[in-house]
Structure formats: C-alpha cells, structure tokens
Amino acid sequence: MLTLTAEVDLERENLALREELRRARAELRRVDQLKRDFISVAAHELRNPLAILLGYTRILENESTGSIRDRAETVALNALRLKNLIDVIVTLQQLDSGELALRFEPIQVASIVEDAVESRQREITDKSLQVESQVNEELFVRGDRERLGIILANILANAIKYSPRGEQISVHAASESSRVILGVRDCGPGIPPEEQPRIFDRFYQVGDPHARRQNGLGLGLAVSKALVELHGGRIWVESVPNQGSTFNVSLPRIAPNGQGTLGSLSGSVIF
Ligand code: ADP
C-alpha cells in the first residue's frame, strides 16, 4: 500500500516523464521538418542548374562531331545519373511525408519505354548492348508520366548495369485481362532466390556490403515498388542465378481513349 506522499511523488514523476516525451516528440517533428525543408531546397537548387546543363549538353551533342561529341555525351550521361539520383531521393522524401501527389493521365506504355531507352542510349552503346522492345502502341495505362518514367529508369539502369558487354536486354509489354504487364529482361548475374524478396527493401544490395562491386544506393527498387503500388500495380522479379533477371511491373490497363479495357496485344521494335 502506497503512502500519500509516495503517490504524489509517483504522480509528479509521471507528469515529468510525460512532459519530457512531449518535448522529445516536438523536437523530433522540428528536426524532421528541417530535414524535409533541406531536401526540398537542395533538390530544387540542384535540379535547376542540372536541367540547364543537360539542355546545353544535348545541344552540344547535336552540333558537334568526333571527340567533342563523345565528351558532350559523357557529360550528359553523368548529369542524367545525378538527375535520377535526385529524383529518387526527392520521391522517397515525398513518400515519407505523404506529400507525393500523382498526376494521373492516360499514358502510352510504348512512349515511356521509348523515352527511357533513348535517355540511356549512350550507356547502351558504350556496353555494346542491344535493346529489343516489344511494346504495342495500343497499350495504355492511367499513370503519372514522371513517376512511371522513374520506375522504368530504375529498372532499365539496373539491367544495363548488370548486363555483361554485348548482351541483349528485352523490354516487353502485353495485356493480361485488365492489366498491362511490362517486363525488362537482362542476361546479368541473376539474383539468388533468398535475396529476391529483400531487393525491394531500402538500402538493400545483394552480396557482401563491404565489397560494393557496383555503385548505387540501394534505393531505386524500393522507390519503384512504392510508386508502382500507388498506381494500383505490382512489381516482382523472376531470376535464376547466372541466367539473368526479369523485372515485371503490372499496372491497370485502360483503353487508348482513356477508358475501359481491351483484349491481348503485342508489337515489336528494335532499338
Ligand atoms: P542500386 O542498384 O542503386 O544498388 P536498387 O534498389 O536498384 O539499388 O537495387 C537493389 C539491389 O538489387 C542491387 O544493389 C542489386 O544487388 C540487385 N539488383 C537489382 N537489379 C538487378 C539486376 N537486373 N540484376 C542483378 N541484380 C540486380
């Protein structure tokens, strides 16, 4: 049985603890807000000069030949890598803070595939890769163009990164009842079955974390998964070690006029 003084002391201690907790929460919110503000300002300040850099190097690429053109392409490629990295960090921040707003519109799947492949052309050529694309122009999804671009850029960048020189990457899309299944297949090292569920976790990279044979932050697939799910879709990998990997994205399909669903379609283009 507690005495009155002991009860009062306990109550006072409880009050002090609650106050401490309240202050800690407020401090956490303040630090979180600072972090958000910093990422948003830093991203804005980095994105603008980067866009100018990318624009001018594209002009330089088109207007030059020989070694000058090669150098302009290298600058453009590295600026694009930076842009993709900033996109991933900003998207992650927006996801965490609930600030990510998708701008849905009818999107032609072939057009996002074409844009993604075109922007990676330099790396594809450097590694003598061949990208074969089988995407029918009649396939449409309802999505956010910029965010679908980020998803595909991440998957394609990995396929390029992990493909041995001279190999083939195939991008295919087909309709399955009311969905579009978009797949990117590479002939890379593949991913062991026990690692496959973990590659969609933040910062996860397959293999020895100290070896870091390939660069990257281990964020691309985590962001892609979150974005696919916001589109009402699903992402998964099919892979056998030493036999390559196929990353699949399934998205709800719409008709080319922006409504309803259609039957099975396929088509073929070689990049
Ligand atoms: P990052 O590529 O920046 O490391 P990701 O989230 O895109 O991060 O990928 C996570 C990990 O999944 C990679 O580090 C790699 O180990 C593995 N991975 C992703 N794509 C492939 C692929 N096409 N082939 C083999 N491994 C892959």
Side-chain angles (χ1 to χ4, degrees), residues 6-34:
E7 263 184 51
V8 171
D9 282 350
L10 204 62
E11 182 59 24
R12 225 179 260 145
E13 207 176 309
N14 269 347
L15 266 175
L17 277 176
R18 272 206 292 269
E19 177 58 16
E20 209 173 301
L21 204 66
R22 194 194 59 75
R23 268 200 231 117
R25 279 210 192 105
E27 179 60 8
L28 216 60
R29 270 199 298 273
R30 194 186 66 82
V31 173
D32 199 47
Q33 186 59 45
L34 268 180

PDB file of all heavy atoms in Angstrom, residues 6-34:
ATOM      1  N   ALA A   6       4.125   9.075  -1.249  1.00  0.00           N
ATOM      2  CA  ALA A   6       4.696   8.255  -2.331  1.00  0.00           C
ATOM      3  C   ALA A   6       3.828   8.374  -3.578  1.00  0.00           C
ATOM      4  O   ALA A   6       4.336   8.462  -4.708  1.00  0.00           O
ATOM      5  CB  ALA A   6       4.791   6.813  -1.880  1.00  0.00           C
ATOM      6  N   GLU A   7       2.511   8.405  -3.397  1.00  0.00           N
ATOM      7  CA  GLU A   7       1.597   8.537  -4.541  1.00  0.00           C
ATOM      8  C   GLU A   7       1.781   9.872  -5.245  1.00  0.00           C
ATOM      9  O   GLU A   7       1.819   9.941  -6.485  1.00  0.00           O
ATOM     10  CB  GLU A   7       0.146   8.426  -4.068  1.00  0.00           C
ATOM     11  CG  GLU A   7      -0.410   7.038  -4.254  1.00  0.00           C
ATOM     12  CD  GLU A   7      -1.861   6.962  -3.866  1.00  0.00           C
ATOM     13  OE1 GLU A   7      -2.637   7.794  -4.355  1.00  0.00           O
ATOM     14  OE2 GLU A   7      -2.178   6.092  -3.038  1.00  0.00           O
ATOM     15  N   VAL A   8       1.935  10.927  -4.432  1.00  0.00           N
ATOM     16  CA  VAL A   8       2.143  12.266  -5.001  1.00  0.00           C
ATOM     17  C   VAL A   8       3.458  12.303  -5.779  1.00  0.00           C
ATOM     18  O   VAL A   8       3.533  12.817  -6.893  1.00  0.00           O
ATOM     19  CB  VAL A   8       2.119  13.355  -3.888  1.00  0.00           C
ATOM     20  CG1 VAL A   8       2.563  14.709  -4.440  1.00  0.00           C
ATOM     21  CG2 VAL A   8       0.738  13.465  -3.284  1.00  0.00           C
ATOM     22  N   ASP A   9       4.512  11.683  -5.194  1.00  0.00           N
ATOM     23  CA  ASP A   9       5.812  11.642  -5.862  1.00  0.00           C
ATOM     24  C   ASP A   9       5.715  10.918  -7.206  1.00  0.00           C
ATOM     25  O   ASP A   9       6.257  11.356  -8.220  1.00  0.00           O
ATOM     26  CB  ASP A   9       6.843  10.914  -4.993  1.00  0.00           C
ATOM     27  CG  ASP A   9       7.338  11.830  -3.876  1.00  0.00           C
ATOM     28  OD1 ASP A   9       7.004  13.036  -3.937  1.00  0.00           O
ATOM     29  OD2 ASP A   9       8.019  11.331  -2.961  1.00  0.00           O
ATOM     30  N   LEU A  10       4.997   9.799  -7.182  1.00  0.00           N
ATOM     31  CA  LEU A  10       4.840   8.991  -8.404  1.00  0.00           C
ATOM     32  C   LEU A  10       4.112   9.776  -9.491  1.00  0.00           C
ATOM     33  O   LEU A  10       4.492   9.767 -10.670  1.00  0.00           O
ATOM     34  CB  LEU A  10       4.042   7.731  -8.057  1.00  0.00           C
ATOM     35  CG  LEU A  10       4.259   6.538  -8.992  1.00  0.00           C
ATOM     36  CD1 LEU A  10       5.710   6.086  -8.960  1.00  0.00           C
ATOM     37  CD2 LEU A  10       3.328   5.409  -8.587  1.00  0.00           C
ATOM     38  N   GLU A  11       3.072  10.471  -9.057  1.00  0.00           N
ATOM     39  CA  GLU A  11       2.276  11.290  -9.993  1.00  0.00           C
ATOM     40  C   GLU A  11       3.148  12.391 -10.605  1.00  0.00           C
ATOM     41  O   GLU A  11       3.125  12.636 -11.815  1.00  0.00           O
ATOM     42  CB  GLU A  11       1.075  11.888  -9.239  1.00  0.00           C
ATOM     43  CG  GLU A  11       0.129  12.721 -10.095  1.00  0.00           C
ATOM     44  CD  GLU A  11      -0.471  11.922 -11.265  1.00  0.00           C
ATOM     45  OE1 GLU A  11      -0.538  10.662 -11.180  1.00  0.00           O
ATOM     46  OE2 GLU A  11      -0.820  12.566 -12.245  1.00  0.00           O
ATOM     47  N   ARG A  12       3.991  13.011  -9.737  1.00  0.00           N
ATOM     48  CA  ARG A  12       4.870  14.086 -10.206  1.00  0.00           C
ATOM     49  C   ARG A  12       5.885  13.530 -11.231  1.00  0.00           C
ATOM     50  O   ARG A  12       6.137  14.124 -12.266  1.00  0.00           O
ATOM     51  CB  ARG A  12       5.624  14.662  -8.997  1.00  0.00           C
ATOM     52  CG  ARG A  12       5.621  16.186  -9.026  1.00  0.00           C
ATOM     53  CD  ARG A  12       6.345  16.748  -7.838  1.00  0.00           C
ATOM     54  NE  ARG A  12       5.454  17.193  -6.792  1.00  0.00           N
ATOM     55  CZ  ARG A  12       5.677  17.111  -5.505  1.00  0.00           C
ATOM     56  NH1 ARG A  12       6.773  16.536  -5.061  1.00  0.00           N
ATOM     57  NH2 ARG A  12       4.821  17.579  -4.616  1.00  0.00           N
ATOM     58  N   GLU A  13       6.396  12.346 -10.906  1.00  0.00           N
ATOM     59  CA  GLU A  13       7.368  11.706 -11.798  1.00  0.00           C
ATOM     60  C   GLU A  13       6.731  11.389 -13.162  1.00  0.00           C
ATOM     61  O   GLU A  13       7.312  11.603 -14.212  1.00  0.00           O
ATOM     62  CB  GLU A  13       7.852  10.421 -11.147  1.00  0.00           C
ATOM     63  CG  GLU A  13       9.248  10.005 -11.591  1.00  0.00           C
ATOM     64  CD  GLU A  13       9.698   8.773 -10.820  1.00  0.00           C
ATOM     65  OE1 GLU A  13       9.614   8.785  -9.571  1.00  0.00           O
ATOM     66  OE2 GLU A  13      10.082   7.815 -11.471  1.00  0.00           O
ATOM     67  N   ASN A  14       5.469  10.911 -13.087  1.00  0.00           N
ATOM     68  CA  ASN A  14       4.728  10.612 -14.322  1.00  0.00           C
ATOM     69  C   ASN A  14       4.550  11.855 -15.173  1.00  0.00           C
ATOM     70  O   ASN A  14       4.725  11.821 -16.389  1.00  0.00           O
ATOM     71  CB  ASN A  14       3.329  10.075 -13.977  1.00  0.00           C
ATOM     72  CG  ASN A  14       3.360   8.573 -13.881  1.00  0.00           C
ATOM     73  OD1 ASN A  14       4.339   7.955 -14.295  1.00  0.00           O
ATOM     74  ND2 ASN A  14       2.310   7.998 -13.314  1.00  0.00           N
ATOM     75  N   LEU A  15       4.179  12.939 -14.486  1.00  0.00           N
ATOM     76  CA  LEU A  15       3.964  14.209 -15.191  1.00  0.00           C
ATOM     77  C   LEU A  15       5.249  14.675 -15.869  1.00  0.00           C
ATOM     78  O   LEU A  15       5.238  15.091 -17.029  1.00  0.00           O
ATOM     79  CB  LEU A  15       3.518  15.285 -14.199  1.00  0.00           C
ATOM     80  CG  LEU A  15       2.024  15.475 -14.048  1.00  0.00           C
ATOM     81  CD1 LEU A  15       1.741  16.478 -12.941  1.00  0.00           C
ATOM     82  CD2 LEU A  15       1.404  15.949 -15.353  1.00  0.00           C
ATOM     83  N   ALA A  16       6.372  14.554 -15.120  1.00  0.00           N
ATOM     84  CA  ALA A  16       7.668  14.986 -15.669  1.00  0.00           C
ATOM     85  C   ALA A  16       8.033  14.143 -16.888  1.00  0.00           C
ATOM     86  O   ALA A  16       8.508  14.650 -17.907  1.00  0.00           O
ATOM     87  CB  ALA A  16       8.736  14.868 -14.588  1.00  0.00           C
ATOM     88  N   LEU A  17       7.767  12.818 -16.767  1.00  0.00           N
ATOM     89  CA  LEU A  17       8.081  11.926 -17.888  1.00  0.00           C
ATOM     90  C   LEU A  17       7.254  12.252 -19.119  1.00  0.00           C
ATOM     91  O   LEU A  17       7.743  12.281 -20.249  1.00  0.00           O
ATOM     92  CB  LEU A  17       7.825  10.467 -17.486  1.00  0.00           C
ATOM     93  CG  LEU A  17       8.955   9.794 -16.719  1.00  0.00           C
ATOM     94  CD1 LEU A  17       8.537   8.400 -16.293  1.00  0.00           C
ATOM     95  CD2 LEU A  17      10.212   9.707 -17.582  1.00  0.00           C
ATOM     96  N   ARG A  18       5.944  12.537 -18.876  1.00  0.00           N
ATOM     97  CA  ARG A  18       5.051  12.883 -19.998  1.00  0.00           C
ATOM     98  C   ARG A  18       5.515  14.171 -20.679  1.00  0.00           C
ATOM     99  O   ARG A  18       5.509  14.280 -21.891  1.00  0.00           O
ATOM    100  CB  ARG A  18       3.603  13.015 -19.492  1.00  0.00           C
ATOM    101  CG  ARG A  18       2.873  11.671 -19.509  1.00  0.00           C
ATOM    102  CD  ARG A  18       1.385  11.874 -19.632  1.00  0.00           C
ATOM    103  NE  ARG A  18       0.831  12.486 -18.441  1.00  0.00           N
ATOM    104  CZ  ARG A  18       0.352  11.791 -17.398  1.00  0.00           C
ATOM    105  NH1 ARG A  18       0.348  10.485 -17.426  1.00  0.00           N
ATOM    106  NH2 ARG A  18      -0.138  12.403 -16.354  1.00  0.00           N
ATOM    107  N   GLU A  19       5.940  15.131 -19.853  1.00  0.00           N
ATOM    108  CA  GLU A  19       6.411  16.410 -20.399  1.00  0.00           C
ATOM    109  C   GLU A  19       7.679  16.197 -21.237  1.00  0.00           C
ATOM    110  O   GLU A  19       7.829  16.747 -22.329  1.00  0.00           O
ATOM    111  CB  GLU A  19       6.669  17.382 -19.225  1.00  0.00           C
ATOM    112  CG  GLU A  19       7.221  18.733 -19.615  1.00  0.00           C
ATOM    113  CD  GLU A  19       6.327  19.498 -20.596  1.00  0.00           C
ATOM    114  OE1 GLU A  19       5.133  19.140 -20.769  1.00  0.00           O
ATOM    115  OE2 GLU A  19       6.837  20.430 -21.211  1.00  0.00           O
ATOM    116  N   GLU A  20       8.572  15.326 -20.704  1.00  0.00           N
ATOM    117  CA  GLU A  20       9.814  15.034 -21.421  1.00  0.00           C
ATOM    118  C   GLU A  20       9.522  14.391 -22.784  1.00  0.00           C
ATOM    119  O   GLU A  20      10.097  14.730 -23.799  1.00  0.00           O
ATOM    120  CB  GLU A  20      10.646  14.071 -20.576  1.00  0.00           C
ATOM    121  CG  GLU A  20      12.146  14.223 -20.787  1.00  0.00           C
ATOM    122  CD  GLU A  20      12.895  13.346 -19.795  1.00  0.00           C
ATOM    123  OE1 GLU A  20      12.698  13.537 -18.571  1.00  0.00           O
ATOM    124  OE2 GLU A  20      13.619  12.469 -20.255  1.00  0.00           O
ATOM    125  N   LEU A  21       8.539  13.477 -22.779  1.00  0.00           N
ATOM    126  CA  LEU A  21       8.133  12.784 -24.004  1.00  0.00           C
ATOM    127  C   LEU A  21       7.549  13.768 -25.011  1.00  0.00           C
ATOM    128  O   LEU A  21       7.836  13.709 -26.206  1.00  0.00           O
ATOM    129  CB  LEU A  21       7.069  11.737 -23.634  1.00  0.00           C
ATOM    130  CG  LEU A  21       6.944  10.575 -24.607  1.00  0.00           C
ATOM    131  CD1 LEU A  21       8.211   9.747 -24.592  1.00  0.00           C
ATOM    132  CD2 LEU A  21       5.747   9.707 -24.206  1.00  0.00           C
ATOM    133  N   ARG A  22       6.726  14.690 -24.479  1.00  0.00           N
ATOM    134  CA  ARG A  22       6.099  15.688 -25.355  1.00  0.00           C
ATOM    135  C   ARG A  22       7.176  16.551 -26.017  1.00  0.00           C
ATOM    136  O   ARG A  22       7.148  16.803 -27.215  1.00  0.00           O
ATOM    137  CB  ARG A  22       5.136  16.558 -24.526  1.00  0.00           C
ATOM    138  CG  ARG A  22       4.182  17.412 -25.350  1.00  0.00           C
ATOM    139  CD  ARG A  22       3.497  18.481 -24.521  1.00  0.00           C
ATOM    140  NE  ARG A  22       4.436  19.398 -23.888  1.00  0.00           N
ATOM    141  CZ  ARG A  22       5.085  20.361 -24.520  1.00  0.00           C
ATOM    142  NH1 ARG A  22       4.898  20.557 -25.799  1.00  0.00           N
ATOM    143  NH2 ARG A  22       5.935  21.133 -23.874  1.00  0.00           N
ATOM    144  N   ARG A  23       8.177  16.950 -25.204  1.00  0.00           N
ATOM    145  CA  ARG A  23       9.253  17.796 -25.749  1.00  0.00           C
ATOM    146  C   ARG A  23      10.078  17.023 -26.790  1.00  0.00           C
ATOM    147  O   ARG A  23      10.435  17.553 -27.830  1.00  0.00           O
ATOM    148  CB  ARG A  23      10.170  18.277 -24.625  1.00  0.00           C
ATOM    149  CG  ARG A  23       9.710  19.611 -24.106  1.00  0.00           C
ATOM    150  CD  ARG A  23      10.822  20.341 -23.351  1.00  0.00           C
ATOM    151  NE  ARG A  23      10.276  20.752 -22.071  1.00  0.00           N
ATOM    152  CZ  ARG A  23      10.699  20.345 -20.900  1.00  0.00           C
ATOM    153  NH1 ARG A  23      11.723  19.540 -20.804  1.00  0.00           N
ATOM    154  NH2 ARG A  23      10.114  20.765 -19.788  1.00  0.00           N
ATOM    155  N   ALA A  24      10.342  15.749 -26.478  1.00  0.00           N
ATOM    156  CA  ALA A  24      11.135  14.922 -27.409  1.00  0.00           C
ATOM    157  C   ALA A  24      10.391  14.785 -28.742  1.00  0.00           C
ATOM    158  O   ALA A  24      10.988  14.877 -29.821  1.00  0.00           O
ATOM    159  CB  ALA A  24      11.395  13.552 -26.808  1.00  0.00           C
ATOM    160  N   ARG A  25       9.042  14.584 -28.670  1.00  0.00           N
ATOM    161  CA  ARG A  25       8.242  14.452 -29.898  1.00  0.00           C
ATOM    162  C   ARG A  25       8.287  15.747 -30.711  1.00  0.00           C
ATOM    163  O   ARG A  25       8.442  15.721 -31.931  1.00  0.00           O
ATOM    164  CB  ARG A  25       6.786  14.127 -29.552  1.00  0.00           C
ATOM    165  CG  ARG A  25       6.573  12.683 -29.269  1.00  0.00           C
ATOM    166  CD  ARG A  25       5.146  12.277 -29.662  1.00  0.00           C
ATOM    167  NE  ARG A  25       4.862  10.971 -29.131  1.00  0.00           N
ATOM    168  CZ  ARG A  25       4.088  10.727 -28.078  1.00  0.00           C
ATOM    169  NH1 ARG A  25       3.475  11.719 -27.469  1.00  0.00           N
ATOM    170  NH2 ARG A  25       3.899   9.509 -27.649  1.00  0.00           N
ATOM    171  N   ALA A  26       8.147  16.882 -29.998  1.00  0.00           N
ATOM    172  CA  ALA A  26       8.166  18.186 -30.684  1.00  0.00           C
ATOM    173  C   ALA A  26       9.514  18.410 -31.353  1.00  0.00           C
ATOM    174  O   ALA A  26       9.597  18.884 -32.489  1.00  0.00           O
ATOM    175  CB  ALA A  26       7.867  19.308 -29.688  1.00  0.00           C
ATOM    176  N   GLU A  27      10.584  18.002 -30.671  1.00  0.00           N
ATOM    177  CA  GLU A  27      11.927  18.170 -31.211  1.00  0.00           C
ATOM    178  C   GLU A  27      12.112  17.287 -32.458  1.00  0.00           C
ATOM    179  O   GLU A  27      12.668  17.718 -33.467  1.00  0.00           O
ATOM    180  CB  GLU A  27      12.967  17.814 -30.133  1.00  0.00           C
ATOM    181  CG  GLU A  27      14.426  17.919 -30.532  1.00  0.00           C
ATOM    182  CD  GLU A  27      14.847  19.325 -30.970  1.00  0.00           C
ATOM    183  OE1 GLU A  27      14.045  20.265 -30.825  1.00  0.00           O
ATOM    184  OE2 GLU A  27      15.970  19.454 -31.499  1.00  0.00           O
ATOM    185  N   LEU A  28      11.571  16.063 -32.362  1.00  0.00           N
ATOM    186  CA  LEU A  28      11.648  15.131 -33.487  1.00  0.00           C
ATOM    187  C   LEU A  28      10.922  15.698 -34.716  1.00  0.00           C
ATOM    188  O   LEU A  28      11.405  15.616 -35.839  1.00  0.00           O
ATOM    189  CB  LEU A  28      10.995  13.814 -33.070  1.00  0.00           C
ATOM    190  CG  LEU A  28      11.636  12.543 -33.605  1.00  0.00           C
ATOM    191  CD1 LEU A  28      13.069  12.435 -33.148  1.00  0.00           C
ATOM    192  CD2 LEU A  28      10.841  11.330 -33.125  1.00  0.00           C
ATOM    193  N   ARG A  29       9.732  16.292 -34.449  1.00  0.00           N
ATOM    194  CA  ARG A  29       8.955  16.889 -35.547  1.00  0.00           C
ATOM    195  C   ARG A  29       9.725  18.054 -36.169  1.00  0.00           C
ATOM    196  O   ARG A  29       9.750  18.220 -37.379  1.00  0.00           O
ATOM    197  CB  ARG A  29       7.589  17.377 -35.036  1.00  0.00           C
ATOM    198  CG  ARG A  29       6.507  16.309 -35.118  1.00  0.00           C
ATOM    199  CD  ARG A  29       5.132  16.930 -35.052  1.00  0.00           C
ATOM    200  NE  ARG A  29       4.912  17.622 -33.799  1.00  0.00           N
ATOM    201  CZ  ARG A  29       4.460  17.043 -32.690  1.00  0.00           C
ATOM    202  NH1 ARG A  29       4.181  15.756 -32.681  1.00  0.00           N
ATOM    203  NH2 ARG A  29       4.287  17.742 -31.595  1.00  0.00           N
ATOM    204  N   ARG A  30      10.391  18.849 -35.304  1.00  0.00           N
ATOM    205  CA  ARG A  30      11.133  20.008 -35.795  1.00  0.00           C
ATOM    206  C   ARG A  30      12.306  19.544 -36.671  1.00  0.00           C
ATOM    207  O   ARG A  30      12.524  20.053 -37.763  1.00  0.00           O
ATOM    208  CB  ARG A  30      11.652  20.830 -34.600  1.00  0.00           C
ATOM    209  CG  ARG A  30      12.144  22.226 -34.949  1.00  0.00           C
ATOM    210  CD  ARG A  30      12.772  22.906 -33.746  1.00  0.00           C
ATOM    211  NE  ARG A  30      13.991  22.242 -33.313  1.00  0.00           N
ATOM    212  CZ  ARG A  30      15.183  22.437 -33.867  1.00  0.00           C
ATOM    213  NH1 ARG A  30      15.311  23.304 -34.839  1.00  0.00           N
ATOM    214  NH2 ARG A  30      16.244  21.785 -33.443  1.00  0.00           N
ATOM    215  N   VAL A  31      13.034  18.522 -36.181  1.00  0.00           N
ATOM    216  CA  VAL A  31      14.188  18.021 -36.935  1.00  0.00           C
ATOM    217  C   VAL A  31      13.723  17.414 -38.262  1.00  0.00           C
ATOM    218  O   VAL A  31      14.343  17.609 -39.319  1.00  0.00           O
ATOM    219  CB  VAL A  31      14.979  16.987 -36.094  1.00  0.00           C
ATOM    220  CG1 VAL A  31      16.082  16.335 -36.914  1.00  0.00           C
ATOM    221  CG2 VAL A  31      15.570  17.657 -34.863  1.00  0.00           C
ATOM    222  N   ASP A  32      12.580  16.700 -38.205  1.00  0.00           N
ATOM    223  CA  ASP A  32      12.049  16.080 -39.409  1.00  0.00           C
ATOM    224  C   ASP A  32      11.673  17.155 -40.440  1.00  0.00           C
ATOM    225  O   ASP A  32      11.931  17.012 -41.629  1.00  0.00           O
ATOM    226  CB  ASP A  32      10.818  15.242 -39.044  1.00  0.00           C
ATOM    227  CG  ASP A  32      10.516  14.246 -40.123  1.00  0.00           C
ATOM    228  OD1 ASP A  32      11.468  13.575 -40.574  1.00  0.00           O
ATOM    229  OD2 ASP A  32       9.339  14.158 -40.534  1.00  0.00           O
ATOM    230  N   GLN A  33      11.060  18.222 -39.951  1.00  0.00           N
ATOM    231  CA  GLN A  33      10.671  19.322 -40.834  1.00  0.00           C
ATOM    232  C   GLN A  33      11.915  19.972 -41.451  1.00  0.00           C
ATOM    233  O   GLN A  33      11.944  20.272 -42.641  1.00  0.00           O
ATOM    234  CB  GLN A  33       9.847  20.365 -40.049  1.00  0.00           C
ATOM    235  CG  GLN A  33       9.261  21.484 -40.912  1.00  0.00           C
ATOM    236  CD  GLN A  33       8.327  20.947 -41.999  1.00  0.00           C
ATOM    237  OE1 GLN A  33       7.484  20.091 -41.726  1.00  0.00           O
ATOM    238  NE2 GLN A  33       8.499  21.410 -43.237  1.00  0.00           N
ATOM    239  N   LEU A  34      12.967  20.138 -40.613  1.00  0.00           N
ATOM    240  CA  LEU A  34      14.229  20.708 -41.107  1.00  0.00           C
ATOM    241  C   LEU A  34      14.800  19.840 -42.230  1.00  0.00           C
ATOM    242  O   LEU A  34      15.221  20.343 -43.266  1.00  0.00           O
ATOM    243  CB  LEU A  34      15.261  20.735 -39.975  1.00  0.00           C
ATOM    244  CG  LEU A  34      15.358  21.996 -39.137  1.00  0.00           C
ATOM    245  CD1 LEU A  34      16.436  21.836 -38.070  1.00  0.00           C
ATOM    246  CD2 LEU A  34      15.731  23.182 -40.033  1.00  0.00           C
TER     247      LEU A  34
END
